[in-house]
Amino acid sequence: TTDTEMWKSHNMHVQLNTFTVDDALEFIGFGKFQWKISLLTGLSWIADAMEMMILSILGPQMHCEWRLPSYEVAFITSVVFIGMGISSSIWGKISDNYGRKTGLIICMCWTLYYGLLSAFVPVYGWLLVLRGLVGFGIGGAPQAVTLYSEFLPVKARGICIMLIAGFWAIGAVFEVLLALLVMPTLGWRWLLGLSTLPMALFICLCNWLPESPRFDVLAGRREKAMLTLSRIAKDNGKSLPQGTLIAFKQNSRGRIQDLFSAQYWRTTLLLWFIWFGNAFSYYGIVLLTTELFQAGDSCRTTQGAKIEPSCSFECRYLTADDYRDLLWTTLAEFPGLLVIIVVIDRIGRKRSMALCFFMFSLCIVPLYACIGRLAITILIFIARASISGGYQVVFVYTPEVFPTETRALAMGTASAMARVGALITPFVAQVMLRTSTYLTLSVYCGCSLLAGGASLVLPIETLGRGLQEAGPDPEGGRRQETATTDN
């Protein structure tokens, strides 16, 4: 809606002495309640990041310990993303139909169960099956952002979702530190088991977590939405606005065809490619980090490209130096996040995404030259900071651009496209790299440039815009607003 439409809507609510969930959240503002829900949803992000970061550590270990060829090592990573790709839209539909809280808790319980089981796998085949099931559960983790965004006032939303992304960076760093402590003494099985601790903590605390009042209103549970809003107001030391809560009439939620309505189809397709490019580039640089560090410099990577280890003596375990360099490049997520927090509300969501993609491409180009380990570390640091920042911007943009009735499904389907990119990237970063370093770098550079262009041509800029409750009706208008009163 335009500023004029929003002003007319506000005046109408004042005249009728009514308010929407958006009005209530703006009136209450950001406070103690939002800090608490930040910490709780942040736990699910820490858990997600740790399960993802394991993949760059587990690969070299399995390569040596089980004497796996590179394509089988790559498939350990890809099978996780296959599970995520299959489940992402399913979790989105569950969240749109049964609630954001319900979907998030079920996916965390699922991931915890199969994450613990995967620590006891006897053979390669079972490792693939159980890590695939872990990926199926992780596919629901983005619903934490859907839930969190629906509790935030407009002015705080961009920065808050970016800050919640800081928990991802914390999880990634914690996983590297855990690996540095656990891998040399206890081994990878203990690493898999201990990495599920944030999920266990989330499940222990999830009873506090409320359902989104936006979802409750659209589901016809206005009284429950009012109780949640009253709880937020009490925690923040504020009161609710005077009047009656209104809702949008709607007949169904979570319909895939709504993503391809006249208003949204172009946005949907462009966002799918942007999510694909983000995941392809982000997980690509994560996996390339260990591959390039093990090679020592880009020259040796190219010269040794076609060598495939045939016995355990010809492979190389990650060393303490590798873990330290991996830690440094993982820490890049923090400055990347800080830079994006500064620019996202100044230049807008679209240009912020494009800037991150173009910076990533710029850092890839010097890797074509024959450079040493220090230069590789610096370039990977900047590249990862850039693509990590871009990944967080798209997490801000996607919930803002779609209405409540399809928001979780939009996040789910976009996340599924990201998993397709993440599924493909191990075969580029771990298999193609052994054939040609230059071709591998060209694929990543080209993909990020195209994604940057797609960001610039998105039809909607969401900076300063409130979350929409409902999309256009089938006749092209807006769905009707109705005021309901207490009996």
Side-chain angles (χ1 to χ4, degrees):
T1 58
T2 63
D3 291 340
T4 302
E5 289 171 333
M6 291 176 67
W7 178 248
K8 288 179 180 177
S9 176
H10 173 73
N11 285 340
M12 180 186 72
H13 296 161
V14 171
Q15 292 166 9
L16 295 175
N17 200 29
T18 60
F19 64 90
T20 64
V21 173
D22 224 17
D23 295 330
L25 291 174
E26 292 300 319
F27 191 83
I28 296 167
F30 188 93
K32 182 180 176 182
F33 176 88
Q34 280 82 6
W35 282 114
K36 290 194 289 187
I37 201 169
S38 297
L39 294 173
L40 189 52
T41 52
L43 272 176
S44 65
W45 267 132
I46 289 174
D48 189 10
M50 290 179 71
E51 290 295 334
M52 292 295 96
M53 201 64 200
I54 283 175
L55 300 176
S56 63
I57 298 165
L58 192 61
Q61 188 74 19
M62 295 293 95
H63 185 50
C64 291
E65 190 169 321
W66 286 1
R67 304 182 185 183
L68 301 177
S70 59
Y71 73 90
E72 288 188 351
V73 173
F75 202 58
I76 294 172
T77 301
S78 290
V79 75
V80 176
F81 293 115
I82 290 172
M84 295 169 79
I86 292 171
S87 70
S88 292
S89 56
I90 296 174
W91 291 118
K93 195 162 183 66
I94 289 171
S95 297
D96 273 332
N97 284 283
Y98 302 103
R100 282 73 160 114
K101 175 183 175 180
T102 301
L104 183 60
I105 291 175
I106 293 173
C107 89
M108 286 291 110
C109 290
W110 178 291
T111 309
L112 173 63
Y113 179 72
Y114 288 108
L116 284 173
L117 281 184
S118 63
F120 300 95
V121 291
V123 293
Y124 175 74
W126 273 110
L127 180 64
L128 291 183
V129 171
L130 290 174
R131 295 312 291 176
L133 289 170
V134 167
F136 190 94
I138 297 174
Q143 300 310 326
V145 177
T146 305
L147 175 66
Y148 181 61
S149 68
E150 294 183 352
F151 286 99
L152 298 172
V154 173
K155 289 184 179 179
R157 190 183 309 121
I159 291 177
C160 287
I161 295 178
M162 296 299 297
L163 288 175
I164 200 76
F167 285 99
W168 175 282
I170 291 171
V173 170
F174 184 67
E175 185 64 30
V176 177
L177 290 173
L178 187 64
L180 183 59
L181 294 173
V182 171
M183 290 292 281
T185 54
L186 300 175
W188 61 270
R189 295 181 187 275
W190 276 92
L191 181 65
L192 289 179
L194 292 172
S195 296
T196 62
L197 287 176
M199 278 177 282
L201 184 57
F202 173 86
I203 292 166
C204 291
L205 299 174
C206 67
N207 280 338
W208 177 88
L209 192 65
E211 183 54 85
S212 164
R214 297 178 188 273
F215 173 82
D216 282 334
V217 164
L218 288 188
R221 301 196 294 257
R222 192 188 66 85
E223 293 78 9
K224 189 175 178 183
M226 282 296 296
L227 287 174
T228 302
L229 290 171
S230 299
R231 176 181 168 186
I232 298 171
K234 182 179 178 181
D235 274 6
N236 289 3
K238 299 289 183 65
S239 59
L240 288 174
Q242 296 297 314
T244 305
L245 180 64
I246 64 172
F248 287 89
K249 285 182 179 178
Q250 54 89 51
N251 299 318
S252 59
R253 300 182 301 276
R255 300 185 307 173
I256 191 72
Q257 59 264 38
D258 290 339
L259 300 180
F260 294 94
S261 64
Q263 184 178 358
Y264 292 115
W265 70 268
R266 190 178 293 105
T267 300
T268 298
L269 293 177
L270 285 170
L271 270 179
W272 281 3
F273 179 70
I274 291 167
W275 277 76
F276 173 93
N278 257 313
F280 181 78
S281 302
Y282 176 82
Y283 292 113
I285 202 68
V286 170
L287 295 173
L288 276 174
T289 300
T290 51
E291 295 292 328
L292 293 175
F293 284 163
Q294 283 193 310
D297 55 57
S298 54
C299 295
R300 201 191 306 178
T301 306
T302 307
Q303 291 166 2
K306 298 183 180 179
I307 298 174
E308 189 68 71
S310 58
C311 72
S312 59
F313 294 105
E314 293 181 85
C315 74
R316 181 172 176 267
Y317 289 92
L318 290 175
T319 65
D321 286 339
D322 294 327
Y323 283 120
R324 278 194 288 269
D325 285 339
L326 185 58
L327 178 61
W328 278 114
T329 56
T330 304
L331 287 170
E333 305 214 4
F334 290 103
L337 192 59
L338 291 174
V339 170
I340 286 300
I341 286 174
V342 171
V343 304
I344 189 172
D345 286 330
R346 286 173 170 79
I347 66 174
R349 280 53 163 152
K350 292 165 51 177
R351 283 185 284 184
S352 294
M353 283 188 279
L355 176 65
C356 291
F357 279 119
F358 295 148
M359 280 297 297
F360 178 83
S361 300
L362 194 62
C363 292
I364 291 293
V365 172
L367 294 177
Y368 284 86
C370 186
I371 58 178
R373 186 182 181 110
L374 178 61
I376 290 174
T377 303
I378 293 170
L379 288 169
I380 289 177
F381 184 94
I382 300 172
R384 184 158 174 178
S386 301
I387 200 64
S388 175
Y391 215 158
Q392 306 317 324
V393 179
V394 78
F395 268 102
V396 175
Y397 180 85
T398 306
E400 288 183 335
V401 78
F402 290 99
T404 300
E405 60 192 26
T406 57
R407 187 170 296 125
L409 180 63
M411 284 291 288
T413 54
S415 181
M417 292 304 299
R419 306 319 176 188
V420 174
L423 186 159
I424 295 170
T425 205
F427 293 96
V428 178
Q430 293 176 320
V431 179
M432 184 186 290
L433 184 70
R434 298 178 184 277
T435 302
S436 172
T437 304
Y438 304 127
L439 179 59
T440 301
L441 296 176
S442 298
V443 170
Y444 285 114
C445 191
C447 180
S448 59
L449 286 173
L450 289 173
S455 302
L456 291 175
V457 299
L458 282 166
I460 302 170
E461 173 57 68
T462 61
L463 177 61
R465 192 174 82 155
L467 293 187
Q468 301 174 81
E469 301 299 343
D473 64 22
E475 284 73 37
R478 301 297 299 175
R479 298 187 193 276
Q480 294 291 320
E481 286 181 331
T482 59
T484 56
T485 58
D486 292 322
N487 292 326

